[in-house]
Amino acid sequence: MRKTRLMTGIGISAIALLALTACNSGTPGSSGDGGDGGGGDETALWEVATDVTLEGSKTFDAMVARDGVVVGVKNDQPGLGMEDPATGERTGFDVDIARWIAASLGFSEDQIEYKTIPSANREQAIVNGDIDYYVGTYSITDKRKADISFAGPYFITGQGLLVAKDNTDINGPDDLAGKIVCSVTGSTPLQRIRDEYNPGDTVEYDTYSQCVEQLKAGSVDAITTDQAILAGYVALEPDALKIAGDTFSEERYGVGLDKDDTVLKDHINALFTDGGDVWTALFEEHLAPAGIQGEQPAVDQ
Amino acid sequence: MGVITDNLDLWGETLVGTLILFFAGGLLALILGIIVGAMRVSPIPVARAVGSLYVNTIRNTPLTLVFFAFAFALPPLLGLRLTGPVSLTLAICALGIYTATYVAETIRSGINTVPVGQAEAARALGLTFGQVMSLVVMPQAFRSVIPPMMSVFIALLKNTTVAAGFSVVNLGSIRNYLSERGENQFLVILWVMAIFVALVLLLSWAQRVLENRWKVAR
C-alpha cells in the first residue's frame, strides 16, 4: 500500500516535471532566437513601442495589468495563421499583423500569448474578454458588429474555388452543376454556393485541411472559401492544387475588438494607415508567393 | 426564444438529422449486436473468435477514429463520391458498428442470466441453435437487459453529434450555422442541451414502459 502510494507520488511528480519543462522549452523557442522563420527580419520591420498610453481603453488597461497581450488567432491556415504542431511556432500574415499591433502597444514577442480560436467561437471569445483582439481571416459584417467592433480592414479578398491541379471543367462558380463542393461546417461561402449557384452536392468538415484531403482523394471536386485561405494550400502543394477562376464576393478582413473600445480601434486604424511599408513587406513575405495580388485597403472610418 | 423561432428551418433540419442518425444507427446496432452477441455464445469456435475479435477491437476505439476511417479512408478505397446520402450512410455505419459492440456485450450479459439448463433442455427437445436463441434464451435475456441497453442507446443518442464533424447535419452542427447567422452561441448551446435532456427523458420513459410490460412475474 505504502509502496503504491510512493510510486503514484513519483509518477505525478514526473508528469508535472515533464509538463513544466515542456512549457519552458516552448516559450523561449517562439520568442528567443528568431523562433519564427522571419523573426530577424520582422524585428527590423517594426520596433516595440515604449511609453504607450491609451487613455480610456479598457482592453489596453487589462493588457498593462497582466503585462502581456492575449491574441486570438487561427492555427490551421497556411500563409495566414499557422501553428507548427511540433514546435508550436506560429507563422503567417495574420499572425504577423497581430505581432505588429502588439509591438505598437509596447509588448514584445515574449509578452504575447496566442490562443487558437475557431471561427464559430470568435465573437464569444471577444465578448467574454478571453482575448484582447482577434486577427484571423475575420470578415467585417454588420451582424458581427452587433456584438464586437472591427479595426481595419487590413486585407480584402473574396470567395474563390480550389480544385485539383488537373481539373479543367471548373473555372468559376457557374461550372459547379453536378460537382461536389466542400467547406467548413456552417460557413457562409458554402451557403452562398448552395443558395446562388447550383452545385451537385455540398460537404462540410471541421477544417479546410480535411476538405483538402478529400479533394486530393478525388471524393470531392472543389473547395470553396476566401481565396486568401485557399491560396495558402496551393502554396503548400502547388503540384496537386490550383485556384479556379476569379473571386465572386468581397470579404474584408478586420481585427476583432471589444465593441466599446473605440480608443484601441482608432489606434490600430492609425497604425495601419501609417504603416504602409510594414504592410507591403508582410504581404510580400506571406501572400505574394502564393500568387495573390492585392494592395492595402483604406481603413473604415 | 428568438434563437429558436427565428431559425425554425435549421432547428427542424438538425433535429431530423439527429433522429435519423439515432434510429438508423440504433437499428443497425441492434441487429448487428444481437448477431454478434449470439455469435459470442454460439457452439462454433470460429464464430466465437470472430465475435470476440470484433467486439474487442471496435469497443476500444475512440468513436471519432471510427468516423475518420469511414469518412476519409473508405471513400478513396471504394472510389465513393461524397454526396449527402453517401456521407449520411457512412455516418450511420460508423455509429451502428461502434454501438453494436456495446449492444452485443449487453445482450451477452443478459444471455448469461438465463440458466444454462434451459438451453440444454431446449436442445434436448431437438431445437436448433437458432431456435434455442430466438424462442428460449433471447426473450428472457432481453427483459433483464433493458436498463443497461437503454444506457447504450442514450450514449448513442449523444454520440450522434460526432457526425457533425463529418458532413452530416444534426444538432451538433447547429452552433456553427447559427454562429454565422450572428446568434448568441451560449443560448444556442443551452437550447441544444435542453433538447437532448428532453430526448433522454423520452428514452427513460420508454425504458420504464418496456420494463413494466416485460416484467418477470416472481
Side-chain angles (χ1 to χ4, degrees), chain A residues 160-197:
Chain A
L161 290 170
L162 181 73
V163 297
K165 182 88 176 180
D166 53 9
N167 184 313
T168 48
D169 0 321
I170 302 178
N171 296 305
D174 298 317
D175 301 335
L176 291 175
K179 306 287 181 190
I180 302 176
V181 187
C182 190
S183 194
V184 295
T185 309
S187 73
T188 311
L190 198 60
Q191 286 172 29
R192 184 179 296 126
I193 288 277
R194 223 179 272 150
D195 297 342
E196 295 172 24
Y197 302 93

PDB file of all heavy atoms in Angstrom, chain A residues 160-197:
ATOM      1  N   GLY A 160     -13.441  32.162 -53.418  1.00  0.00           N
ATOM      2  CA  GLY A 160     -12.838  31.534 -54.586  1.00  0.00           C
ATOM      3  C   GLY A 160     -13.044  30.034 -54.559  1.00  0.00           C
ATOM      4  O   GLY A 160     -13.725  29.503 -53.677  1.00  0.00           O
ATOM      5  N   LEU A 161     -12.480  29.361 -55.548  1.00  0.00           N
ATOM      6  CA  LEU A 161     -12.615  27.911 -55.634  1.00  0.00           C
ATOM      7  C   LEU A 161     -11.237  27.268 -55.752  1.00  0.00           C
ATOM      8  O   LEU A 161     -10.360  27.770 -56.455  1.00  0.00           O
ATOM      9  CB  LEU A 161     -13.447  27.519 -56.861  1.00  0.00           C
ATOM     10  CG  LEU A 161     -14.937  27.842 -56.828  1.00  0.00           C
ATOM     11  CD1 LEU A 161     -15.534  27.621 -58.195  1.00  0.00           C
ATOM     12  CD2 LEU A 161     -15.650  27.019 -55.781  1.00  0.00           C
ATOM     13  N   LEU A 162     -11.067  26.159 -55.046  1.00  0.00           N
ATOM     14  CA  LEU A 162      -9.829  25.392 -55.113  1.00  0.00           C
ATOM     15  C   LEU A 162     -10.159  24.041 -55.727  1.00  0.00           C
ATOM     16  O   LEU A 162     -11.116  23.393 -55.316  1.00  0.00           O
ATOM     17  CB  LEU A 162      -9.268  25.199 -53.700  1.00  0.00           C
ATOM     18  CG  LEU A 162      -7.952  24.438 -53.564  1.00  0.00           C
ATOM     19  CD1 LEU A 162      -6.801  25.304 -54.036  1.00  0.00           C
ATOM     20  CD2 LEU A 162      -7.713  24.024 -52.120  1.00  0.00           C
ATOM     21  N   VAL A 163      -9.390  23.649 -56.745  1.00  0.00           N
ATOM     22  CA  VAL A 163      -9.644  22.362 -57.395  1.00  0.00           C
ATOM     23  C   VAL A 163      -8.324  21.620 -57.553  1.00  0.00           C
ATOM     24  O   VAL A 163      -7.253  22.164 -57.294  1.00  0.00           O
ATOM     25  CB  VAL A 163     -10.295  22.546 -58.787  1.00  0.00           C
ATOM     26  CG1 VAL A 163     -11.649  23.195 -58.666  1.00  0.00           C
ATOM     27  CG2 VAL A 163      -9.386  23.344 -59.697  1.00  0.00           C
ATOM     28  N   ALA A 164      -8.431  20.366 -57.974  1.00  0.00           N
ATOM     29  CA  ALA A 164      -7.225  19.591 -58.243  1.00  0.00           C
ATOM     30  C   ALA A 164      -6.507  20.189 -59.443  1.00  0.00           C
ATOM     31  O   ALA A 164      -7.134  20.760 -60.340  1.00  0.00           O
ATOM     32  CB  ALA A 164      -7.585  18.129 -58.497  1.00  0.00           C
ATOM     33  N   LYS A 165      -5.178  20.045 -59.462  1.00  0.00           N
ATOM     34  CA  LYS A 165      -4.359  20.664 -60.498  1.00  0.00           C
ATOM     35  C   LYS A 165      -4.803  20.266 -61.908  1.00  0.00           C
ATOM     36  O   LYS A 165      -4.790  21.071 -62.831  1.00  0.00           O
ATOM     37  CB  LYS A 165      -2.904  20.226 -60.275  1.00  0.00           C
ATOM     38  CG  LYS A 165      -1.918  20.820 -61.240  1.00  0.00           C
ATOM     39  CD  LYS A 165      -1.427  22.141 -60.738  1.00  0.00           C
ATOM     40  CE  LYS A 165      -0.347  22.707 -61.646  1.00  0.00           C
ATOM     41  NZ  LYS A 165       0.121  23.997 -61.162  1.00  0.00           N
ATOM     42  N   ASP A 166      -5.212  18.985 -62.062  1.00  0.00           N
ATOM     43  CA  ASP A 166      -5.530  18.502 -63.405  1.00  0.00           C
ATOM     44  C   ASP A 166      -6.994  18.731 -63.787  1.00  0.00           C
ATOM     45  O   ASP A 166      -7.456  18.236 -64.819  1.00  0.00           O
ATOM     46  CB  ASP A 166      -5.191  17.012 -63.526  1.00  0.00           C
ATOM     47  CG  ASP A 166      -5.843  16.196 -62.410  1.00  0.00           C
ATOM     48  OD1 ASP A 166      -6.677  16.769 -61.689  1.00  0.00           O
ATOM     49  OD2 ASP A 166      -5.493  15.005 -62.270  1.00  0.00           O
ATOM     50  N   ASN A 167      -7.727  19.480 -62.946  1.00  0.00           N
ATOM     51  CA  ASN A 167      -9.140  19.713 -63.239  1.00  0.00           C
ATOM     52  C   ASN A 167      -9.276  20.844 -64.257  1.00  0.00           C
ATOM     53  O   ASN A 167      -8.698  21.915 -64.099  1.00  0.00           O
ATOM     54  CB  ASN A 167      -9.865  20.091 -61.943  1.00  0.00           C
ATOM     55  CG  ASN A 167     -11.358  20.248 -62.133  1.00  0.00           C
ATOM     56  OD1 ASN A 167     -11.801  20.898 -63.064  1.00  0.00           O
ATOM     57  ND2 ASN A 167     -12.117  19.658 -61.250  1.00  0.00           N
ATOM     58  N   THR A 168     -10.032  20.579 -65.323  1.00  0.00           N
ATOM     59  CA  THR A 168     -10.200  21.636 -66.317  1.00  0.00           C
ATOM     60  C   THR A 168     -11.655  22.062 -66.462  1.00  0.00           C
ATOM     61  O   THR A 168     -11.941  23.064 -67.105  1.00  0.00           O
ATOM     62  CB  THR A 168      -9.698  21.169 -67.709  1.00  0.00           C
ATOM     63  OG1 THR A 168     -10.245  19.887 -67.968  1.00  0.00           O
ATOM     64  CG2 THR A 168      -8.195  21.112 -67.760  1.00  0.00           C
ATOM     65  N   ASP A 169     -12.618  21.306 -65.878  1.00  0.00           N
ATOM     66  CA  ASP A 169     -14.024  21.695 -66.100  1.00  0.00           C
ATOM     67  C   ASP A 169     -14.503  22.802 -65.186  1.00  0.00           C
ATOM     68  O   ASP A 169     -15.513  23.413 -65.458  1.00  0.00           O
ATOM     69  CB  ASP A 169     -15.044  20.548 -65.993  1.00  0.00           C
ATOM     70  CG  ASP A 169     -14.468  19.213 -65.682  1.00  0.00           C
ATOM     71  OD1 ASP A 169     -13.400  18.962 -66.231  1.00  0.00           O
ATOM     72  OD2 ASP A 169     -15.109  18.455 -64.948  1.00  0.00           O
ATOM     73  N   ILE A 170     -13.828  23.036 -64.061  1.00  0.00           N
ATOM     74  CA  ILE A 170     -14.325  24.071 -63.156  1.00  0.00           C
ATOM     75  C   ILE A 170     -13.487  25.334 -63.317  1.00  0.00           C
ATOM     76  O   ILE A 170     -12.294  25.341 -63.024  1.00  0.00           O
ATOM     77  CB  ILE A 170     -14.288  23.586 -61.695  1.00  0.00           C
ATOM     78  CG1 ILE A 170     -15.127  22.317 -61.541  1.00  0.00           C
ATOM     79  CG2 ILE A 170     -14.809  24.670 -60.763  1.00  0.00           C
ATOM     80  CD1 ILE A 170     -15.105  21.731 -60.157  1.00  0.00           C
ATOM     81  N   ASN A 171     -14.117  26.393 -63.826  1.00  0.00           N
ATOM     82  CA  ASN A 171     -13.408  27.655 -63.991  1.00  0.00           C
ATOM     83  C   ASN A 171     -14.108  28.803 -63.290  1.00  0.00           C
ATOM     84  O   ASN A 171     -13.757  29.951 -63.465  1.00  0.00           O
ATOM     85  CB  ASN A 171     -13.237  27.976 -65.472  1.00  0.00           C
ATOM     86  CG  ASN A 171     -12.356  26.949 -66.151  1.00  0.00           C
ATOM     87  OD1 ASN A 171     -11.232  26.714 -65.711  1.00  0.00           O
ATOM     88  ND2 ASN A 171     -12.881  26.301 -67.175  1.00  0.00           N
ATOM     89  N   GLY A 172     -15.126  28.488 -62.528  1.00  0.00           N
ATOM     90  CA  GLY A 172     -15.870  29.511 -61.812  1.00  0.00           C
ATOM     91  C   GLY A 172     -17.074  28.883 -61.159  1.00  0.00           C
ATOM     92  O   GLY A 172     -17.362  27.699 -61.380  1.00  0.00           O
ATOM     93  N   PRO A 173     -17.799  29.664 -60.361  1.00  0.00           N
ATOM     94  CA  PRO A 173     -18.927  29.100 -59.607  1.00  0.00           C
ATOM     95  C   PRO A 173     -20.065  28.606 -60.510  1.00  0.00           C
ATOM     96  O   PRO A 173     -20.885  27.816 -60.063  1.00  0.00           O
ATOM     97  CB  PRO A 173     -19.378  30.260 -58.721  1.00  0.00           C
ATOM     98  CG  PRO A 173     -18.860  31.472 -59.390  1.00  0.00           C
ATOM     99  CD  PRO A 173     -17.594  31.084 -60.073  1.00  0.00           C
ATOM    100  N   ASP A 174     -20.087  29.055 -61.756  1.00  0.00           N
ATOM    101  CA  ASP A 174     -21.182  28.626 -62.630  1.00  0.00           C
ATOM    102  C   ASP A 174     -20.953  27.232 -63.200  1.00  0.00           C
ATOM    103  O   ASP A 174     -21.837  26.654 -63.814  1.00  0.00           O
ATOM    104  CB  ASP A 174     -21.360  29.627 -63.778  1.00  0.00           C
ATOM    105  CG  ASP A 174     -21.743  30.995 -63.235  1.00  0.00           C
ATOM    106  OD1 ASP A 174     -22.586  31.035 -62.319  1.00  0.00           O
ATOM    107  OD2 ASP A 174     -21.185  32.006 -63.706  1.00  0.00           O
ATOM    108  N   ASP A 175     -19.746  26.700 -62.989  1.00  0.00           N
ATOM    109  CA  ASP A 175     -19.441  25.374 -63.540  1.00  0.00           C
ATOM    110  C   ASP A 175     -19.661  24.257 -62.533  1.00  0.00           C
ATOM    111  O   ASP A 175     -19.175  23.150 -62.716  1.00  0.00           O
ATOM    112  CB  ASP A 175     -17.965  25.314 -63.988  1.00  0.00           C
ATOM    113  CG  ASP A 175     -17.663  26.356 -65.037  1.00  0.00           C
ATOM    114  OD1 ASP A 175     -18.618  26.762 -65.728  1.00  0.00           O
ATOM    115  OD2 ASP A 175     -16.504  26.774 -65.150  1.00  0.00           O
ATOM    116  N   LEU A 176     -20.383  24.564 -61.449  1.00  0.00           N
ATOM    117  CA  LEU A 176     -20.440  23.596 -60.355  1.00  0.00           C
ATOM    118  C   LEU A 176     -21.584  22.594 -60.464  1.00  0.00           C
ATOM    119  O   LEU A 176     -21.743  21.751 -59.585  1.00  0.00           O
ATOM    120  CB  LEU A 176     -20.541  24.324 -59.011  1.00  0.00           C
ATOM    121  CG  LEU A 176     -19.257  25.070 -58.622  1.00  0.00           C
ATOM    122  CD1 LEU A 176     -19.474  25.872 -57.348  1.00  0.00           C
ATOM    123  CD2 LEU A 176     -18.104  24.105 -58.424  1.00  0.00           C
ATOM    124  N   ALA A 177     -22.386  22.673 -61.523  1.00  0.00           N
ATOM    125  CA  ALA A 177     -23.504  21.732 -61.648  1.00  0.00           C
ATOM    126  C   ALA A 177     -22.989  20.303 -61.610  1.00  0.00           C
ATOM    127  O   ALA A 177     -22.046  19.948 -62.320  1.00  0.00           O
ATOM    128  CB  ALA A 177     -24.257  21.991 -62.949  1.00  0.00           C
ATOM    129  N   GLY A 178     -23.571  19.485 -60.740  1.00  0.00           N
ATOM    130  CA  GLY A 178     -23.175  18.085 -60.643  1.00  0.00           C
ATOM    131  C   GLY A 178     -21.864  17.854 -59.920  1.00  0.00           C
ATOM    132  O   GLY A 178     -21.404  16.719 -59.823  1.00  0.00           O
ATOM    133  N   LYS A 179     -21.239  18.935 -59.420  1.00  0.00           N
ATOM    134  CA  LYS A 179     -19.962  18.777 -58.718  1.00  0.00           C
ATOM    135  C   LYS A 179     -20.197  18.811 -57.208  1.00  0.00           C
ATOM    136  O   LYS A 179     -21.165  19.391 -56.739  1.00  0.00           O
ATOM    137  CB  LYS A 179     -19.009  19.920 -59.100  1.00  0.00           C
ATOM    138  CG  LYS A 179     -18.812  20.071 -60.587  1.00  0.00           C
ATOM    139  CD  LYS A 179     -17.967  18.959 -61.140  1.00  0.00           C
ATOM    140  CE  LYS A 179     -17.757  19.144 -62.640  1.00  0.00           C
ATOM    141  NZ  LYS A 179     -17.136  17.966 -63.235  1.00  0.00           N
ATOM    142  N   ILE A 180     -19.275  18.211 -56.462  1.00  0.00           N
ATOM    143  CA  ILE A 180     -19.381  18.211 -55.005  1.00  0.00           C
ATOM    144  C   ILE A 180     -18.421  19.255 -54.448  1.00  0.00           C
ATOM    145  O   ILE A 180     -17.232  19.265 -54.762  1.00  0.00           O
ATOM    146  CB  ILE A 180     -19.059  16.826 -54.428  1.00  0.00           C
ATOM    147  CG1 ILE A 180     -20.021  15.799 -55.023  1.00  0.00           C
ATOM    148  CG2 ILE A 180     -19.175  16.839 -52.916  1.00  0.00           C
ATOM    149  CD1 ILE A 180     -19.735  14.386 -54.584  1.00  0.00           C
ATOM    150  N   VAL A 181     -18.970  20.173 -53.637  1.00  0.00           N
ATOM    151  CA  VAL A 181     -18.184  21.283 -53.109  1.00  0.00           C
ATOM    152  C   VAL A 181     -18.024  21.111 -51.604  1.00  0.00           C
ATOM    153  O   VAL A 181     -18.979  20.809 -50.895  1.00  0.00           O
ATOM    154  CB  VAL A 181     -18.880  22.624 -53.401  1.00  0.00           C
ATOM    155  CG1 VAL A 181     -17.969  23.770 -52.998  1.00  0.00           C
ATOM    156  CG2 VAL A 181     -19.241  22.730 -54.869  1.00  0.00           C
ATOM    157  N   CYS A 182     -16.810  21.325 -51.118  1.00  0.00           N
ATOM    158  CA  CYS A 182     -16.502  21.125 -49.704  1.00  0.00           C
ATOM    159  C   CYS A 182     -16.131  22.455 -49.038  1.00  0.00           C
ATOM    160  O   CYS A 182     -15.537  23.325 -49.663  1.00  0.00           O
ATOM    161  CB  CYS A 182     -15.333  20.150 -49.566  1.00  0.00           C
ATOM    162  SG  CYS A 182     -15.028  19.584 -47.901  1.00  0.00           S
ATOM    163  N   SER A 183     -16.521  22.614 -47.770  1.00  0.00           N
ATOM    164  CA  SER A 183     -16.053  23.740 -46.978  1.00  0.00           C
ATOM    165  C   SER A 183     -16.259  23.392 -45.509  1.00  0.00           C
ATOM    166  O   SER A 183     -16.627  22.267 -45.192  1.00  0.00           O
ATOM    167  CB  SER A 183     -16.789  25.026 -47.342  1.00  0.00           C
ATOM    168  OG  SER A 183     -16.096  26.141 -46.806  1.00  0.00           O
ATOM    169  N   VAL A 184     -16.031  24.366 -44.612  1.00  0.00           N
ATOM    170  CA  VAL A 184     -16.202  24.036 -43.201  1.00  0.00           C
ATOM    171  C   VAL A 184     -17.669  24.184 -42.790  1.00  0.00           C
ATOM    172  O   VAL A 184     -18.419  24.943 -43.389  1.00  0.00           O
ATOM    173  CB  VAL A 184     -15.301  24.881 -42.265  1.00  0.00           C
ATOM    174  CG1 VAL A 184     -13.854  24.574 -42.518  1.00  0.00           C
ATOM    175  CG2 VAL A 184     -15.607  26.339 -42.421  1.00  0.00           C
ATOM    176  N   THR A 185     -18.038  23.447 -41.752  1.00  0.00           N
ATOM    177  CA  THR A 185     -19.428  23.328 -41.319  1.00  0.00           C
ATOM    178  C   THR A 185     -20.071  24.690 -41.071  1.00  0.00           C
ATOM    179  O   THR A 185     -19.542  25.503 -40.318  1.00  0.00           O
ATOM    180  CB  THR A 185     -19.506  22.496 -40.019  1.00  0.00           C
ATOM    181  OG1 THR A 185     -18.788  21.296 -40.235  1.00  0.00           O
ATOM    182  CG2 THR A 185     -20.945  22.188 -39.660  1.00  0.00           C
ATOM    183  N   GLY A 186     -21.192  24.913 -41.741  1.00  0.00           N
ATOM    184  CA  GLY A 186     -21.994  26.110 -41.495  1.00  0.00           C
ATOM    185  C   GLY A 186     -21.458  27.377 -42.110  1.00  0.00           C
ATOM    186  O   GLY A 186     -22.006  28.444 -41.889  1.00  0.00           O
ATOM    187  N   SER A 187     -20.375  27.298 -42.905  1.00  0.00           N
ATOM    188  CA  SER A 187     -19.733  28.529 -43.344  1.00  0.00           C
ATOM    189  C   SER A 187     -20.569  29.274 -44.387  1.00  0.00           C
ATOM    190  O   SER A 187     -21.276  28.677 -45.185  1.00  0.00           O
ATOM    191  CB  SER A 187     -18.342  28.230 -43.906  1.00  0.00           C
ATOM    192  OG  SER A 187     -18.458  27.603 -45.157  1.00  0.00           O
ATOM    193  N   THR A 188     -20.469  30.596 -44.349  1.00  0.00           N
ATOM    194  CA  THR A 188     -21.230  31.435 -45.265  1.00  0.00           C
ATOM    195  C   THR A 188     -20.899  31.156 -46.734  1.00  0.00           C
ATOM    196  O   THR A 188     -21.815  31.092 -47.556  1.00  0.00           O
ATOM    197  CB  THR A 188     -20.994  32.919 -44.936  1.00  0.00           C
ATOM    198  OG1 THR A 188     -21.179  33.085 -43.534  1.00  0.00           O
ATOM    199  CG2 THR A 188     -21.952  33.813 -45.678  1.00  0.00           C
ATOM    200  N   PRO A 189     -19.613  30.996 -47.105  1.00  0.00           N
ATOM    201  CA  PRO A 189     -19.318  30.729 -48.520  1.00  0.00           C
ATOM    202  C   PRO A 189     -20.061  29.505 -49.060  1.00  0.00           C
ATOM    203  O   PRO A 189     -20.565  29.523 -50.187  1.00  0.00           O
ATOM    204  CB  PRO A 189     -17.809  30.485 -48.519  1.00  0.00           C
ATOM    205  CG  PRO A 189     -17.295  31.198 -47.339  1.00  0.00           C
ATOM    206  CD  PRO A 189     -18.381  31.142 -46.310  1.00  0.00           C
ATOM    207  N   LEU A 190     -20.151  28.460 -48.241  1.00  0.00           N
ATOM    208  CA  LEU A 190     -20.826  27.253 -48.698  1.00  0.00           C
ATOM    209  C   LEU A 190     -22.317  27.509 -48.858  1.00  0.00           C
ATOM    210  O   LEU A 190     -22.954  27.029 -49.804  1.00  0.00           O
ATOM    211  CB  LEU A 190     -20.582  26.113 -47.707  1.00  0.00           C
ATOM    212  CG  LEU A 190     -20.858  24.724 -48.257  1.00  0.00           C
ATOM    213  CD1 LEU A 190     -19.965  24.447 -49.444  1.00  0.00           C
ATOM    214  CD2 LEU A 190     -20.644  23.667 -47.198  1.00  0.00           C
ATOM    215  N   GLN A 191     -22.875  28.301 -47.924  1.00  0.00           N
ATOM    216  CA  GLN A 191     -24.304  28.605 -48.041  1.00  0.00           C
ATOM    217  C   GLN A 191     -24.583  29.460 -49.271  1.00  0.00           C
ATOM    218  O   GLN A 191     -25.613  29.311 -49.918  1.00  0.00           O
ATOM    219  CB  GLN A 191     -24.805  29.293 -46.764  1.00  0.00           C
ATOM    220  CG  GLN A 191     -24.922  28.286 -45.632  1.00  0.00           C
ATOM    221  CD  GLN A 191     -25.220  28.906 -44.285  1.00  0.00           C
ATOM    222  OE1 GLN A 191     -25.842  29.943 -44.201  1.00  0.00           O
ATOM    223  NE2 GLN A 191     -24.757  28.265 -43.235  1.00  0.00           N
ATOM    224  N   ARG A 192     -23.625  30.346 -49.607  1.00  0.00           N
ATOM    225  CA  ARG A 192     -23.801  31.163 -50.806  1.00  0.00           C
ATOM    226  C   ARG A 192     -23.803  30.273 -52.046  1.00  0.00           C
ATOM    227  O   ARG A 192     -24.639  30.433 -52.944  1.00  0.00           O
ATOM    228  CB  ARG A 192     -22.690  32.209 -50.899  1.00  0.00           C
ATOM    229  CG  ARG A 192     -22.876  33.161 -52.070  1.00  0.00           C
ATOM    230  CD  ARG A 192     -21.789  34.210 -52.134  1.00  0.00           C
ATOM    231  NE  ARG A 192     -21.800  35.101 -50.988  1.00  0.00           N
ATOM    232  CZ  ARG A 192     -20.741  35.327 -50.207  1.00  0.00           C
ATOM    233  NH1 ARG A 192     -19.604  34.718 -50.441  1.00  0.00           N
ATOM    234  NH2 ARG A 192     -20.831  36.147 -49.187  1.00  0.00           N
ATOM    235  N   ILE A 193     -22.871  29.318 -52.085  1.00  0.00           N
ATOM    236  CA  ILE A 193     -22.820  28.376 -53.209  1.00  0.00           C
ATOM    237  C   ILE A 193     -24.153  27.636 -53.324  1.00  0.00           C
ATOM    238  O   ILE A 193     -24.708  27.468 -54.407  1.00  0.00           O
ATOM    239  CB  ILE A 193     -21.679  27.357 -52.991  1.00  0.00           C
ATOM    240  CG1 ILE A 193     -20.327  28.022 -53.173  1.00  0.00           C
ATOM    241  CG2 ILE A 193     -21.811  26.165 -53.916  1.00  0.00           C
ATOM    242  CD1 ILE A 193     -19.865  28.131 -54.591  1.00  0.00           C
ATOM    243  N   ARG A 194     -24.674  27.195 -52.192  1.00  0.00           N
ATOM    244  CA  ARG A 194     -25.905  26.416 -52.169  1.00  0.00           C
ATOM    245  C   ARG A 194     -27.093  27.267 -52.639  1.00  0.00           C
ATOM    246  O   ARG A 194     -27.942  26.797 -53.373  1.00  0.00           O
ATOM    247  CB  ARG A 194     -26.152  25.961 -50.728  1.00  0.00           C
ATOM    248  CG  ARG A 194     -26.611  24.533 -50.613  1.00  0.00           C
ATOM    249  CD  ARG A 194     -26.799  24.165 -49.158  1.00  0.00           C
ATOM    250  NE  ARG A 194     -25.602  23.678 -48.538  1.00  0.00           N
ATOM    251  CZ  ARG A 194     -25.315  23.819 -47.230  1.00  0.00           C
ATOM    252  NH1 ARG A 194     -26.155  24.466 -46.439  1.00  0.00           N
ATOM    253  NH2 ARG A 194     -24.209  23.336 -46.743  1.00  0.00           N
ATOM    254  N   ASP A 195     -27.121  28.543 -52.203  1.00  0.00           N
ATOM    255  CA  ASP A 195     -28.286  29.369 -52.493  1.00  0.00           C
ATOM    256  C   ASP A 195     -28.232  29.981 -53.886  1.00  0.00           C
ATOM    257  O   ASP A 195     -29.250  30.090 -54.563  1.00  0.00           O
ATOM    258  CB  ASP A 195     -28.402  30.503 -51.462  1.00  0.00           C
ATOM    259  CG  ASP A 195     -28.634  29.957 -50.060  1.00  0.00           C
ATOM    260  OD1 ASP A 195     -29.039  28.780 -49.961  1.00  0.00           O
ATOM    261  OD2 ASP A 195     -28.392  30.685 -49.094  1.00  0.00           O
ATOM    262  N   GLU A 196     -27.030  30.405 -54.321  1.00  0.00           N
ATOM    263  CA  GLU A 196     -26.975  31.210 -55.541  1.00  0.00           C
ATOM    264  C   GLU A 196     -26.480  30.442 -56.758  1.00  0.00           C
ATOM    265  O   GLU A 196     -26.728  30.836 -57.881  1.00  0.00           O
ATOM    266  CB  GLU A 196     -26.082  32.437 -55.312  1.00  0.00           C
ATOM    267  CG  GLU A 196     -26.675  33.370 -54.272  1.00  0.00           C
ATOM    268  CD  GLU A 196     -25.705  34.475 -53.889  1.00  0.00           C
ATOM    269  OE1 GLU A 196     -24.812  34.791 -54.705  1.00  0.00           O
ATOM    270  OE2 GLU A 196     -25.851  35.014 -52.777  1.00  0.00           O
ATOM    271  N   TYR A 197     -25.732  29.374 -56.514  1.00  0.00           N
ATOM    272  CA  TYR A 197     -25.259  28.588 -57.641  1.00  0.00           C
ATOM    273  C   TYR A 197     -25.933  27.236 -57.536  1.00  0.00           C
ATOM    274  O   TYR A 197     -26.789  27.032 -56.693  1.00  0.00           O
ATOM    275  CB  TYR A 197     -23.740  28.526 -57.645  1.00  0.00           C
ATOM    276  CG  TYR A 197     -23.144  29.913 -57.710  1.00  0.00           C
ATOM    277  CD1 TYR A 197     -22.797  30.581 -56.543  1.00  0.00           C
ATOM    278  CD2 TYR A 197     -23.030  30.585 -58.914  1.00  0.00           C
ATOM    279  CE1 TYR A 197     -22.311  31.878 -56.592  1.00  0.00           C
ATOM    280  CE2 TYR A 197     -22.537  31.871 -58.976  1.00  0.00           C
ATOM    281  CZ  TYR A 197     -22.177  32.521 -57.816  1.00  0.00           C
ATOM    282  OH  TYR A 197     -21.695  33.797 -57.864  1.00  0.00           O
TER     283      TYR A 197
END
